[in-house]
Amino acid sequence: QVQLVESGGGLVQAGGSLRLSCAASGRTFSRYTMGWFRQAPGKERERIAALHWTGGSTYYADSVKGRFTISRDNAKNTAYLEMNSLKPEDTATYFCAAAYGGNSVGPYNYWGQGTQVTVSS
């Protein structure tokens, strides 16, 4: 069982940066592939980044590639999403999720409650 808590969202101007954190409970965090998703009002949830539990591979959606970076610190049981060059279209609720031993597509069994990111133009 893993509980995930996101933080770091907020209001930022276009071109700015934010770093989201996802703090996980449990002792086996290192065995979880971590993913970041987002959902804007009226749109479907979108998988935007994932980091394999081995650290050997990452996934980025085309919409964020080159601007966002996913990372993790297993000693702190925390995953991060560094977001640079933010655009108004990045405005959404951002969720982290965990897939035990899974690859970047999941299945993601555990989800955080989400953190709001708003990018003003």
Side-chain angles (χ1 to χ4, degrees), residues 4-19:
L4 305 174
V5 179
E6 301 98 335
S7 62
L11 173 65
V12 63
Q13 288 188 331
S17 300
L18 282 175
R19 187 176 80 157

Side-chain angles (χ1 to χ4, degrees), residues 1-2 25 28-34 51-54 72 74 98-102 109-110:
Q1 189 85 9
V2 173
S25 65
T28 58
F29 175 75
S30 62
R31 291 297 307 274
Y32 285 86
T33 288
M34 298 301 297
L51 176 57
H52 195 267
W53 66 272
T54 61
R72 67 193 299 158
N74 288 338
Y100 185 79
N109 309 101
Y110 303 100

Side-chain angles (χ1 to χ4, degrees), residues 2 22 47 68-69 102 105 119:
V2 173
C22 175
R47 179 171 57 110
F68 290 12
T69 303
V105 297
V119 184

Side-chain angles (χ1 to χ4, degrees), residues 18-114:
L18 282 175
R19 187 176 80 157
L20 304 183
S21 298
C22 175
S25 65
R27 295 177 291 179
T28 58
F29 175 75
S30 62
R31 291 297 307 274
Y32 285 86
T33 288
M34 298 301 297
W36 285 95
F37 295 74
R38 68 185 181 187
Q39 187 166 21
K43 295 188 177 181
E44 293 188 354
R45 186 174 60 195
E46 175 187 18
R47 179 171 57 110
I48 57 171
L51 176 57
H52 195 267
W53 66 272
T54 61
S57 65
T58 55
Y59 163 84
Y60 294 99
D62 288 342
S63 57
V64 306
K65 198 173 293 182
R67 300 187 299 123
F68 290 12
T69 303
I70 186 172
S71 63
R72 67 193 299 158
D73 185 336
N74 288 338
K76 295 183 178 180
N77 277 16
T78 302
Y80 303 96
L81 185 68
E82 185 76 33
M83 306 187 295
N84 299 313
S85 303
L86 283 161
K87 305 174 181 179
E89 51 264 43
D90 293 317
T91 295
T93 301
Y94 283 70
F95 301 88
C96 68
Y100 185 79
N103 58 28
S104 66
V105 297
Y108 291 94
N109 309 101
Y110 303 100
W111 293 81
Q113 81 290 348

